[in-house]
Amino acid sequence: MSLVAYAHCLRGVVGRELLRFVHQRSRFVAALVRPLVWLFVFAAGFRMALGVAMTEPYQTYILYEVYIVPGLVGMIQLFNGMQSSLSMVYDREMGSMRVLLVSPFPRWYLLLCKLLAGTMVSIVQVYVFLAIAYLYGVQAPLMGYVLILPALIVTGFMVGALGMLLSSFVRQLENFAGIMNFVIFPMFFLSSALYPLWRIREGSYLVYQVAALNPFTHAVEMIRFTMYEQLNVSATLIALATTAVLLGLAILAYNPARGMAARKGGGE
């Protein structure tokens, strides 16, 4: 097939996902309600108790709401990535992906298109949230809103690939919803999204070790540093490596000759 055919496929998958997002306004509102509740309600209540001492990438002492905004950005992408994978379970059985997965296009390319579409949707949600936070008074350097884009793409692919890998193990929406609860909340709360690692270490060394090993922690730190015009090399490398591994496993899982489909007696 020609490059034009591949481009047409990419445009179709991404366009369909964006169109679905536009028509599902409740999904957009729900994606913003969670981080805004944390920003407006919880951060206001914890401001005095959980002010953050001067630490990188910040140049001075900061309020709690300033600290958690990058973590809430990660929250948006985490929930969106899992929700996009939830739709993958439906599409694989009864929707458009059922047709696409038996098309001449390679499955790895179709999965990449699906991941790119979900990542683009999450990025739109993130920038709307950042605009609201900016008006609220949580303001990063203007260039940081541009530099954050590559970090958002990596994080979107990472959580999307994880969700896609999990979706390969289930056949019913109800089962996948349960799996999400055992993945989303531990990944989010056992990370540096809400509290600095040094503060977690003061409270529990065991929880600190788990949080330090959590790939989502490094994705959040990558977002945090790029948002303030700095590069956290270790966090970026770990996030990239995790994305590559999860993406490879997801592609393998959707390979009818080697993945879960083969062990379950057929393709989608």
Side-chain angles (χ1 to χ4, degrees):
M1 290 180 291
S2 65
L3 292 177
V4 176
Y6 279 91
H8 183 70
C9 176
L10 174 62
R11 184 180 62 181
V13 174
V14 174
R16 181 179 182 274
E17 193 70 22
L18 292 175
L19 188 62
R20 175 191 291 179
F21 172 69
V22 170
H23 288 296
Q24 294 177 345
R25 297 181 181 178
S26 59
R27 175 183 172 185
F28 177 70
V29 173
L32 291 178
V33 166
R34 283 185 295 264
L36 289 178
V37 167
W38 275 99
L39 180 62
F40 295 154
V41 180
F42 288 93
F46 293 156
R47 174 182 295 177
M48 299 306 296
L50 295 175
V52 179
M54 185 169 59
T55 183
E56 292 185 348
Y58 307 105
Q59 302 300 319
T60 184
Y61 293 91
I62 58 172
L63 297 175
Y64 181 61
E65 56 259 42
V66 175
Y67 177 82
I68 66 169
V69 163
L72 297 180
V73 167
M75 171 197 278
I76 293 174
Q77 294 203 284
L78 179 61
F79 276 83
N80 183 83
M82 292 300 167
Q83 188 172 10
S84 178
S85 299
L86 175 63
S87 69
M88 181 68 174
V89 178
Y90 175 84
D91 285 346
R92 188 187 61 202
E93 298 301 320
M94 295 171 286
S96 61
M97 288 303 292
R98 183 178 180 88
V99 177
L100 287 173
L101 288 174
V102 296
S103 69
F105 292 100
R107 290 202 172 194
W108 63 265
Y109 180 75
L110 296 173
L111 296 179
L112 284 177
C113 291
K114 181 70 174 177
L115 282 175
L116 178 60
T119 300
M120 290 180 64
V121 169
S122 71
I123 290 175
V124 172
Q125 296 170 343
V126 164
Y127 275 106
V128 172
F129 168 73
L130 289 176
I132 296 174
Y134 189 91
L135 296 176
Y136 183 66
V138 181
Q139 301 174 351
L142 292 180
M143 184 55 64
Y145 295 105
V146 177
L147 298 176
I148 197 178
L149 182 58
L152 296 178
I153 294 174
V154 173
T155 304
F157 267 78
M158 185 182 77
V159 297
L162 174 61
M164 191 168 291
L165 176 62
L166 294 175
S167 72
S168 69
F169 288 87
V170 297
R171 290 295 182 186
Q172 297 179 345
L173 291 175
E174 296 80 2
N175 296 336
F176 188 64
I179 292 176
M180 284 202 309
N181 289 331
F182 285 100
V183 174
I184 291 179
F185 293 108
M187 282 191 69
F188 179 69
F189 288 108
L190 293 175
S191 72
S192 62
L194 300 179
Y195 317 102
L197 287 179
W198 63 264
R199 176 152 287 179
I200 296 176
R201 186 172 185 173
E202 290 178 351
S204 171
Y205 186 72
L206 176 61
V207 175
Y208 162 77
Q209 289 180 313
V210 174
L213 294 174
N214 184 358
F216 186 68
T217 292
H218 301 285
V220 169
E221 292 307 303
M222 177 178 61
I223 293 172
R224 189 187 313 280
F225 275 72
T226 53
M227 190 172 175
Y228 287 88
E229 302 177 324
Q230 297 185 41
L231 177 64
N232 188 321
V233 177
S234 61
T236 301
L237 291 178
I238 292 174
L240 287 171
T242 303
T243 301
V245 171
L246 291 175
L247 184 57
L249 291 175
I251 292 173
L252 180 63
Y254 272 88
N255 184 337
R258 302 182 63 184
M260 289 301 297
R263 293 193 288 272
K264 291 184 179 181
E268 291 74 17

